[in-house]
Amino acid sequence: MTNNKYLLRFFSLSFILLISLNVFAQFGPRIKSPVVNEDNSITFSIKAPNAKEVSVNMMMKNYPMERDVEGVWSVTVGPVEPEVYTYSFSVDGLKVLDPANPEMQVGQAPDFSLVNVPGNPPRFDELQDVPHGTMHILKYFSTTQDVNREVYVYTPPGYKPTKKYPVFYLRHGGGGNETSWYVEGCTANIMDNLLAQNKIVPMVVVMPNGNVEKQTEGGAYGAEGIQIMADELFTDVIPLIEKEFSVYTDQKHRALAGLSMGGGQSFYIGLGNVDKFDWIGSYSSGIFGGIPGFSFDPEERIPGILSKSANFNKELDLFYLSCGEQDPRVEHTQKVVDLFKKNNLKVTYETYEGTHEWKVWKHSLRSFSQLLFR
């Protein structure tokens, strides 16, 4: 019986090996893509033997690819600066994520593949040999939107339930969700590295889902959508965080910021509730101009922000705006900054090399977080 058992196992393994060799012969070796080369160039590859035209889109540029005799299309881009980049393939006009790469920008739907070009020494947003905090995923029922939601929460290294921590609510942009600041924005790495350098105060960072689930007039930037997001934040998210984590509950120890869509939400929710947040930031928001059919009147949406700016200056410890220097929104942002300053509203404004992209937003997060809770 024992010999039969081993014989059966031998034939089973032989059969599996035979099938594997047949599959290998039919499809060939697994494509390795992307490959980051020593000079920081990136080689992209995809097998599409029946395709007539294939390209890779990266940094808002299309790079045509060449086909080999096995039907594998390849191209080398760069060298490029150390950074996390998004890219996708176009196969006969069809957008395709890299089937050889599990790293992707998820958000509301898989949108782009991701490739990391590491720095030497490691970039400020890369994993470094420092103490690491903990990421928590909390599930809750949104009474505001009548749906189940998730929120990502970062706690710093050495977090102790017996100690109180300030809390920073960090909102994503359009097309993203609660995973965005963690996956693409590298928030945990940024906070860990800054803490190791004693550049920030230990804080809890909360990354909620900022999407409005139902159709509203004006969408995410309209008054109705903003109110829904404010109601969910105050009714569902903040009470959940204050129940599950040891955080301060006063405005002095609460910050609110976001990018793009989340920047607009943070602007309206934060400035409309200065009794709840002392630290407000908006990165690359489109509310200041450039969105078709959307007009921006700060005094109308935030009464007194221009006419009674001294009241806002007294309430806020920080009002921060930022934008990419090549972002089409930068001119509109500069104009509103000038308007605020003309009306004596205190605002900290920074720009960074880049377009409407994560590189800019990670730098904004790095800078903004160093100003908090001082």
Side-chain angles (χ1 to χ4, degrees):
M1 179 66 71
T2 302
N3 289 337
N4 289 339
K5 179 178 71 173
Y6 287 118
L7 194 61
L8 180 62
R9 183 179 296 176
F10 171 77
F11 281 120
S12 298
L13 291 173
S14 298
F15 179 73
I16 292 171
L17 180 60
L18 207 62
I19 293 295
S20 300
L21 288 172
N22 183 55
V23 169
F24 184 84
Q26 182 178 354
F27 295 103
R30 180 179 177 85
I31 301 297
K32 189 174 182 181
S33 175
V35 175
V36 178
N37 304 305
E38 289 186 4
D39 66 347
N40 280 4
S41 62
I42 310 171
T43 300
F44 300 96
S45 301
I46 184 172
K47 188 164 187 177
N50 298 320
K52 294 180 175 59
E53 187 177 81
V54 180
S55 63
V56 64
N57 182 282
M58 176 180 161
M59 298 185 296
M60 303 179 71
K61 294 181 181 178
N62 273 314
Y63 298 90
M65 304 175 75
E66 294 186 359
R67 180 187 186 279
D68 68 11
V69 294
E70 301 295 330
V72 176
W73 298 75
S74 300
V75 68
T76 297
V77 176
V80 297
E81 292 295 318
E83 185 54 76
V84 177
Y85 294 94
T86 60
Y87 71 96
S88 63
F89 294 119
S90 175
V91 180
D92 289 340
L94 176 67
K95 180 178 179 178
V96 178
L97 300 187
D98 193 339
N101 182 8
E103 300 298 325
M104 65 182 71
Q105 179 177 301
V106 182
Q108 290 180 284
D111 200 20
F112 291 97
S113 295
L114 299 175
V115 56
N116 178 44
V117 179
N120 185 21
R123 302 186 315 267
F124 72 91
D125 60 316
E126 283 188 278
L127 188 68
Q128 298 181 15
D129 185 15
V130 299
H132 301 299
T134 304
M135 288 299 305
H136 310 259
I137 304 175
L138 275 62
K139 299 180 184 294
Y140 68 96
F141 180 76
S142 169
T143 58
T144 306
Q145 300 200 69
D146 198 32
V147 293
N148 290 307
R149 307 273 259 181
E150 288 185 346
V151 58
Y152 276 47
V153 182
Y154 166 87
T155 52
Y159 170 84
K160 298 178 181 178
T162 55
K163 177 185 175 181
K164 291 287 186 182
Y165 294 83
V167 58
F168 173 18
Y169 293 88
L170 182 60
R171 309 188 72 87
H172 63 81
N177 63 12
E178 67 277 7
T179 69
S180 299
W181 268 111
Y182 173 60
V183 177
E184 296 102 292
C186 308
T187 295
N189 291 344
I190 293 172
M191 305 305 285
D192 286 345
N193 297 337
L194 288 173
L195 281 167
Q197 298 170 42
N198 294 314
K199 290 186 176 181
I200 62 171
V201 173
M203 66 186 80
V204 172
V205 184
V206 180
M207 293 158 269
N209 186 332
N211 293 303
V212 179
E213 300 294 338
K214 62 180 182 180
Q215 289 291 109
T216 59
E217 184 177 353
Y221 290 121
E224 185 182 357
I226 294 293
Q227 189 60 54
I228 290 173
M229 285 293 92
D231 290 343
E232 182 173 273
L233 180 63
F234 295 130
T235 304
D236 300 309
V237 177
I238 290 180
L240 174 69
I241 299 304
E242 294 180 350
K243 176 185 175 183
E244 298 293 333
F245 298 95
S246 182
V247 296
Y248 289 105
T249 59
D250 61 318
Q251 68 188 73
K252 190 77 175 176
H253 294 90
R254 274 203 210 117
L256 176 67
L259 72 92
S260 196
M261 178 186 78
Q265 293 173 346
S266 299
F267 179 91
Y268 285 128
I269 296 172
L271 293 175
N273 296 274
V274 290
D275 60 327
K276 295 181 173 63
F277 302 98
D278 267 9
W279 317 81
I280 298 169
S282 179
Y283 321 148
S284 306
S285 176
I287 61 174
F288 307 132
I291 299 177
F294 186 87
S295 59
F296 177 68
D297 185 337
E299 188 71 17
E300 179 183 352
R301 291 292 295 271
I302 311 292
I305 194 169
L306 300 180
S307 59
K308 299 179 180 179
S309 59
N311 294 342
F312 287 84
N313 293 336
K314 183 180 179 180
E315 288 283 353
L316 296 175
D317 281 303
L318 176 66
F319 175 40
Y320 175 97
L321 298 177
S322 68
C323 198
E325 292 169 1
Q326 286 74 45
D327 192 325
R329 301 176 178 188
V330 70
E331 292 184 11
H332 302 287
T333 306
Q334 182 64 63
K335 287 180 181 179
V336 80
V337 168
D338 293 341
L339 176 65
F340 287 153
K341 289 183 175 180
K342 181 180 178 181
N343 286 272
N344 299 313
L345 182 69
K346 293 179 181 178
V347 55
T348 298
Y349 179 50
E350 296 180 332
T351 61
Y352 297 97
E353 174 71 25
T355 60
H356 200 69
E357 59 182 322
W358 276 106
K359 178 173 69 173
V360 171
W361 305 324
K362 287 186 289 186
H363 277 286
S364 299
L365 172 62
R366 181 195 192 192
S367 179
F368 181 76
S369 61
Q370 292 181 69
L371 302 174
L372 298 180
F373 311 122
R374 299 294 187 180

